[in-house]
Amino acid sequence: MNDSHSASYAAAGVDVTAGYEAVNRIKPLVESTYIPGVMGTLGGFGGLFAPDVAGMERPLLVSGTDGVGTKLKLAFLMDKHDTVGIDCVAMCVNDIICSGAMPLFFLDYLAVGKNKPERIEAIVDGVTEGCRQAGCALIGGETAEMPGFYPEEEYDLAGFSVGLVDQAKMIDGSALQEGDLLIGLGSNGVHSNGFSLVRKVLNITSRAALDIHVSQLGHTLGEELLRPTRIYVRALRCLRQQGVTVKAVSHITGGGLYENVPRMMKDGLTARIQKSAFPVPPIFEVIQRAGEIPERDMYNTFNMGIGLVIAIPNGEVGAALDVLTRAGEQAYVIGSVVKGDDGVVLV
């Protein structure tokens, strides 16, 4: 591989030697995520993983895929690339835990206008940090240099994760009943959704707009908006390990509470959420005021401070809150399950 070089390909804008340098830079980062089950090393044509299914009656694989979206535009403007990888992992693993699966491994896809090894290293540094937070391994990926398709200073980042759950321990909402309580886990701000609206209403077209210090936030707008998405894998794992009954889970992404909470409800039941039961981070007030956005639209676009909603039996709320607090989460009882066919009602 060290002798591989194509002057013709380089003249077309693709530098394969830069690709090799990038691989050498990220290899120790990738290996830092390895967990039992990883087979082989970076550089093969496929990532290998041997899952431990001992004790499972019917093991099921659960997969999720997503990207970072237009939040990347802020990373370009700030020339800060070491957190968007966390977002990418979070958007995938937070989805698959809604089924009760624990993530095993992750693969990323990075398409760049120009391969800059130090920037690739920073991006993958974020991906590996996300994997470590999620307890899964980064077992492969792809970096594609695409001159003429992406500007030299821009890229796109996406990925997918695969998790494992015993069918008997799946979380599917089938056991939901009237009187169950809803616990919301605090978000880390905007997370990775709604950035097309954020960029429009805050007029983010240059680095100068992101360097503005906002007293309401306590730091710059850019620092606030690039905060990475929280990863809730450990929280859910702790709940189940401590015997707390988890009946349904919803990851609050694009579409906010109005779109995502109904996805965990079953027919005839509605989630009744009390907006005053949890704090709304100041960034959402800044966005709403700047764009004169109706409150309904805010809750139908953003997470508004709640990144994950968990339904549990009424009698287990104390134990659940204790476990979640010890797991480092800000947890709130935000509502309950009631009869109805609305899916979700915010009051």
Side-chain angles (χ1 to χ4, degrees):
M1 181 179 291
N2 290 334
D3 294 329
S4 176
H5 176 70
S6 171
S8 299
Y9 210 5
V14 177
D15 186 353
V16 293
T17 57
Y20 302 146
E21 181 185 344
V23 170
N24 289 332
R25 283 172 173 263
I26 68 175
K27 186 175 181 180
L29 296 172
V30 173
E31 292 176 346
S32 74
T33 71
Y34 285 178
I35 60 175
V38 174
M39 302 179 66
T41 59
L42 188 67
F45 287 99
L48 303 176
F49 195 93
D52 180 5
V53 297
M56 293 188 177
E57 296 181 4
R58 189 180 185 191
L60 300 178
L61 295 177
V62 181
S63 59
T65 185
D66 211 335
V68 183
T70 61
K71 184 175 185 175
L72 291 174
K73 287 285 191 179
L74 278 64
F76 304 156
L77 289 173
M78 296 183 67
D79 194 22
K80 180 174 172 55
H81 311 282
D82 59 347
T83 60
V84 291
I86 302 175
D87 290 297
C88 190
V89 175
M91 296 303 291
C92 298
V93 298
N94 285 346
D95 276 356
I96 68 174
I97 63 173
C98 293
S99 300
M102 290 294 108
L104 299 173
F105 57 82
F106 184 84
L107 283 86
D108 66 331
Y109 174 76
L110 177 60
V112 302
K114 182 176 180 59
N115 192 327
K116 296 184 177 181
E118 66 280 2
R119 187 172 61 188
I120 301 295
E121 181 181 15
I123 296 167
V124 176
D125 185 36
V127 174
T128 57
E129 172 58 24
C131 287
R132 287 189 292 270
Q133 290 183 25
C136 65
L138 178 60
I139 63 170
E142 168 70 9
T143 299
E145 189 172 15
M146 301 170 66
F149 195 90
Y150 294 99
E152 286 193 2
E153 299 304 317
E154 297 191 2
Y155 56 85
D156 196 11
L157 177 62
F160 77 92
S161 182
V162 173
L164 182 69
V165 65
D166 194 344
Q167 185 174 20
K169 296 182 179 180
M170 276 191 65
I171 300 171
D172 60 7
S174 61
L176 276 173
Q177 62 185 28
E178 183 182 13
D180 288 337
L181 294 182
L182 303 173
I183 293 179
L185 301 189
S187 71
N188 206 13
V190 183
H191 280 185
S192 300
N193 304 104
F195 273 87
S196 294
L197 179 57
V198 170
R199 289 166 44 239
K200 178 184 178 183
V201 301
L202 297 180
N203 194 29
I204 299 174
T205 58
S206 67
R207 172 67 183 264
L210 294 169
D211 285 340
I212 296 173
H213 187 277
V214 181
S215 58
Q216 192 174 352
L217 303 175
H219 43 248
T220 68
L221 191 59
E223 289 172 323
E224 173 65 32
L225 293 174
L226 271 190
R227 293 172 68 189
T229 306
R230 282 193 67 80
I231 292 175
Y232 300 106
V233 175
R234 182 171 180 268
L236 196 63
R237 179 185 287 118
C238 288
L239 279 177
R240 305 197 84 184
Q241 286 178 341
Q242 294 302 313
V244 175
T245 304
V246 178
K247 292 190 174 185
V249 182
S250 177
H251 181 205
I252 311 305
T253 57
L257 291 162
Y258 276 112
E259 182 176 312
N260 290 288
V261 174
R263 297 168 65 181
M264 77 178 194
M265 305 305 295
K266 67 178 185 180
D267 291 345
L269 294 176
T270 290
R272 187 177 189 274
I273 294 176
Q274 188 77 37
K275 289 180 288 187
S276 62
F278 57 92
V280 175
I283 182 60
F284 295 114
E285 299 171 17
V286 172
I287 294 168
Q288 183 177 11
R289 184 173 62 251
E292 298 182 346
I293 303 171
E295 184 182 66
R296 177 63 164 72
D297 288 358
M298 291 295 295
Y299 282 90
N300 209 157
T301 305
F302 303 109
N303 65 64
M304 299 302 286
I306 297 297
L308 201 75
V309 177
I310 304 171
I312 63 166
N314 188 311
E316 298 185 34
V317 64
L321 292 174
D322 180 62
V323 170
L324 291 168
T325 299
R326 285 188 282 113
E329 299 294 336
Q330 295 291 323
Y332 314 92
V333 178
I334 64 171
S336 61
V337 177
V338 300
K339 289 183 179 179
D341 294 311
D342 297 309
V344 64
V345 174
L346 274 62
V347 297

